[in-house]
């Protein structure tokens, strides 16, 4: 493998992976290399632009830690999260649509009885939420575990507020409830407000350079787990909302 040039590089890289033992990994990597090289050829990527991209990805890595996942944010604003969610969650007609998960879910949020106020001190206009969870054939589903999470009136999730001595970290505006014997649920919380996704890092700089805003329309997040059913990760939005048609992460569905 010598004297590789602009015309032979793609095939050379693909050939170098012929020993890969995982057929799936090979399929993914061959396709990735083909698309990556086609992209560089199509835009005639300069060395300077290539290095800027390296610096950008390095910055995305540096700002990422246990609580801040800038790579997921990047995937979200590029529409990759919505594409992957959509192509892996095709549901039969009549089923509630899935949408993006987002970075603010917390495992093992506190369990609340029906009717409880999950705000737990989060600021905002009081809000009452109720509904019924049904199987596809319309049968109400009892004892469905429902994770709910949302931002407060300032547009912050509890995990975005650093714990202080006066206010150690507590779960606010999030919790788990279970449907009753008739599949019904109800709880109190605060009215969700539009909020900007974290935009003080490289993804925010990218949005600005692209003339895009970082806002999401107000929403409540839900994750439903019911025995014998697929997990559902979704939102409920409010109408009207000025960002329903320009959600920074492309998560809005009219049915939601
Ligand atoms: C969210 O709705 O929590 C969210 C989704 C994607 C990126 C940032 C936040
Ligand atoms: Fe959210």
């Amino acid at each position: 493998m010598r004297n590789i040039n602009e015309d032979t590089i793609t095939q050379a890289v693909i050939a170098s992976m012929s020993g890969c033992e995982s057929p799936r990994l090979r399929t993914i990597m061959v396709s990735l290399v083909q698309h990556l090289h086609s992209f560089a050829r199509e835009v005639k990527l300069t060395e300077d632009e290539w290095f800027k991209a390296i610096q950008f990805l390095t910055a995305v890595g540096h700002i990422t830690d246990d609580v801040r996942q800038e790579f997921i944010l990047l995937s979200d604003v590029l529409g990759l999260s919505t594409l992957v969610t959509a192509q892996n969650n095709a549901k039969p007609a009549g089923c509630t649509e899935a949408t993006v998960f987002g970075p603010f879910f917390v495992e093992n949020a506190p369990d609340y009885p029906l009717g409880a106020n999950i705000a737990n001190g989060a600021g905002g206009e009081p809000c009452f939420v109720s509904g019924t969870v049904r199987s596809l054939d319309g049968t109400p589903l009892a004892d469905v575990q429902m994770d709910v999470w949302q931002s407060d009136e300032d547009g912050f999730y509890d995990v975005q507020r650093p714990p202080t001595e006066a206010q150690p970290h507590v779960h606010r505006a999030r919790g788990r409830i279970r449907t009753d014997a008739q599949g019904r649920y109800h709880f109190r919380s605060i009215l969700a407000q539009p909020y900007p996704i974290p935009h003080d890092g490289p993804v925010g700089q990218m949005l600005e350079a692209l003339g895009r805003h970082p806002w999401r329309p107000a929403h409540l997040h839900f994750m439903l787990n019911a025995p014998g059913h697929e997990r559902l990760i979704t939102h409920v939005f409010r109408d009207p909302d000025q960002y329903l048609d320009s959600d920074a992460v492309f998560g809005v569905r009219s049915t939601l």
Side-chain angles (χ1 to χ4, degrees):
M1 218 200 299
R2 289 186 188 184
N3 306 321
I4 303 292
N5 63 27
E6 192 182 328
D7 300 319
T8 56
I9 181 64
T10 305
Q11 224 19 69
V13 179
I14 289 170
S16 76
M17 300 187 289
S18 61
C20 176
E21 284 181 8
S22 160
R24 179 65 180 159
L25 178 61
R26 190 166 181 281
T27 300
I28 288 172
M29 291 307 295
V30 165
S31 180
L32 177 70
V33 167
Q34 281 170 332
H35 285 276
L36 199 58
H37 288 204
S38 298
F39 155 74
R41 287 191 176 97
E42 186 180 314
V43 301
K44 294 212 168 19
L45 196 68
T46 67
E47 287 164 291
D48 191 41
E49 289 161 346
W50 171 85
F51 192 58
K52 282 219 168 72
I54 298 290
Q55 286 175 312
F56 173 77
L57 291 174
T58 303
V60 170
H62 280 167
I63 205 171
T64 296
D65 60 20
D66 288 351
V67 289
R68 173 141 184 183
Q69 234 304 352
E70 195 83 354
F71 281 106
I72 294 185
L73 211 53
L74 180 59
S75 162
D76 293 339
V77 301
L78 292 179
L80 182 62
S81 307
T82 283
L83 171 60
V84 173
T85 299
Q87 70 182 4
N88 286 284
N89 289 276
K91 307 267 191 236
C95 188
T96 302
E97 289 188 84
T99 191
V100 288
F101 192 37
F104 300 125
F105 172 73
V106 169
E107 296 271 5
N108 300 318
D111 290 304
Y112 285 101
L114 285 175
N117 189 345
I118 68 164
N120 194 26
E125 194 179 326
C127 176
F128 180 74
V129 184
S130 65
T132 303
V133 180
R134 297 176 191 280
S135 192
L136 256 189
D137 64 6
T139 315
L141 290 175
D143 208 30
V144 176
Q145 185 187 68
M146 303 178 68
D147 269 276
V148 185
W149 67 106
Q150 66 166 105
S151 59
D152 62 22
E153 63 188 341
D154 298 324
F156 289 117
Y157 287 78
D158 53 3
V159 291
Q160 290 177 286
R161 294 195 181 276
T164 61
E165 236 170 79
Q167 275 203 321
H169 179 70
V170 283
H171 296 286
R172 292 203 170 89
R174 74 171 70 240
R176 281 197 306 219
I177 53 170
R178 283 181 178 274
T179 56
D180 68 11
Q182 284 78 45
R184 295 173 308 199
Y185 64 88
H186 62 282
F187 61 91
R188 286 169 202 285
S189 187
I190 45 173
L191 200 57
Q193 299 293 344
Y195 67 85
I197 60 168
H199 58 290
D200 56 345
V203 168
Q205 284 168 4
M206 185 188 83
L207 290 179
E208 196 172 336
L210 294 174
R212 286 176 55 181
H213 72 70
W215 289 84
R216 297 215 64 206
H219 58 274
L220 278 177
H221 291 260
F222 287 92
M223 179 163 80
L224 274 63
N225 286 292
H229 293 74
E230 284 176 34
R231 166 181 291 186
L232 175 67
I233 293 171
T234 192
H235 293 3
V236 170
F237 296 92
R238 287 165 54 199
D239 200 0
D241 185 304
Q242 65 172 311
Y243 298 113
L244 283 173
D245 289 309
S246 65
D247 180 9
V249 302
F250 309 97
V252 179
R253 306 280 167 274
S254 301
T255 58
L256 302 179

